[in-house]
Amino acid sequence: MVLTLDSALEERTQPFQLFRGRDLLDDGQLDELLATVPTADVAKIAVEDPKHEKQYRMNLVDLIVLEEEAPVFPRLPGVWRDLVEELRGAEFTAWLEKSTGIELAGLQRSIGLYTHRNGDYLSVHKDKPTKAITVILYLNRDWPVEAGGQFQIFASPKEGPTEEISPVGGQLLAFPPTDTSWHAVSKIEHPEGTERITVQIEYWLTTGLAGSAYRPQN
């Protein structure tokens, strides 16, 4: 597994700072990852309470938790271990630093595999201010627009999205949380039940709010 890090990330500043990369993985790599997704270890996480700014329903496999390997790590297929090792490596962090101008070396990281199934979603929110940056790597080779699951960008939580980005495989999005970084994931409505697969890397400025995802008891 070798991520393609030849090009700097594209930057946009409105309505908030967002970096975008393309073709970090080729079709063969995506096929291999998708064929071996460790979904047996997935846990549902959800917050569906109107009192919370952020509401969501999705599924998570912890891979790295604040630099420590999660229990699932030794059982990961080789291609997944290779991917995680690259994402936690110095070369990837240096590439992010150069592209974003954000100092990341030495910060603690968490890496998780997130899956969205029919009915899953992520409401409009800004992300935790204790993160230096959130990085999302997309793994689905093909994803129909009508199936939802779009990364939505908002100028305000009271207005509709200004843009929607389809979860195209090999694509990467990264952004530092701010008071204006309003974003969401539209509800999944995939007629064939195909899961939306992403890997998320979080670099933490402080870890007090890290890993606070709620897991229902049933």
Side-chain angles (χ1 to χ4, degrees):
M1 180 63 57
V2 178
L3 293 165
T4 301
L5 306 177
D6 297 335
S7 302
L9 297 170
E10 306 164 11
E11 180 185 7
R12 58 182 299 166
T13 58
Q14 297 297 327
F16 58 86
Q17 189 177 39
L18 178 71
F19 299 90
R20 187 176 187 179
R22 307 171 196 266
D23 301 321
L24 272 73
L25 295 164
D26 62 32
D27 287 348
Q29 292 170 317
L30 291 171
D31 286 343
E32 191 173 2
L33 288 164
L34 289 171
T36 56
V37 177
T39 52
D41 295 281
V42 75
K44 179 182 178 182
I45 59 173
V47 171
E48 296 185 294
D49 182 345
K51 295 178 182 179
H52 289 260
E53 173 193 295
K54 180 180 177 181
Q55 300 181 59
Y56 54 87
R57 193 172 78 195
M58 52 190 169
N59 312 280
L60 168 63
V61 180
D62 287 316
L63 303 174
I64 301 294
V65 180
L66 299 178
E67 300 299 322
E68 298 294 329
E69 295 176 0
V72 70
F73 189 85
R75 296 184 278 109
L76 289 175
V79 65
W80 277 90
R81 287 198 303 273
D82 291 346
L83 175 62
V84 173
E85 291 295 358
E86 287 199 41
L87 292 174
R88 69 196 294 207
E91 182 180 359
F92 181 76
T93 297
W95 175 73
L96 276 178
E97 284 188 322
K98 184 177 180 180
S99 293
T100 65
I102 300 171
E103 293 185 9
L104 301 172
L107 296 181
Q108 293 196 66
R109 291 160 297 187
S110 293
I111 302 175
L113 163 65
Y114 287 81
T115 75
H116 289 74
R117 300 168 178 168
N118 280 344
D120 289 348
Y121 68 97
L122 192 60
S123 71
V124 183
H125 66 291
K126 303 187 296 290
D127 258 20
K128 296 173 183 176
T130 51
K131 293 181 188 179
I133 197 168
T134 298
V135 183
I136 308 164
L137 179 64
Y138 294 90
L139 300 184
N140 291 89
R141 275 192 63 186
D142 301 298
W143 188 264
V145 174
E146 64 272 15
Q150 308 296 307
F151 182 89
Q152 298 178 310
I153 297 169
F154 296 80
S156 163
K158 298 180 180 180
E159 303 174 8
T162 61
E163 184 179 350
E164 295 187 320
I165 299 176
S166 188
V168 176
Q171 180 180 211
L172 180 145
L173 298 179
F175 58 94
T178 67
D179 288 340
T180 62
S181 56
W182 297 104
H183 63 284
V185 173
S186 60
K187 186 176 180 180
I188 303 293
E189 297 179 349
H190 200 298
E192 298 177 0
T194 300
E195 293 180 275
R196 178 185 185 271
I197 309 293
T198 64
V199 172
Q200 183 165 299
I201 308 99
E202 299 164 307
Y203 288 78
W204 295 94
L205 295 167
T206 62
T207 59
L209 297 177
S212 59
Y214 170 68
R215 289 171 171 78
Q217 296 301 309
N218 52 27

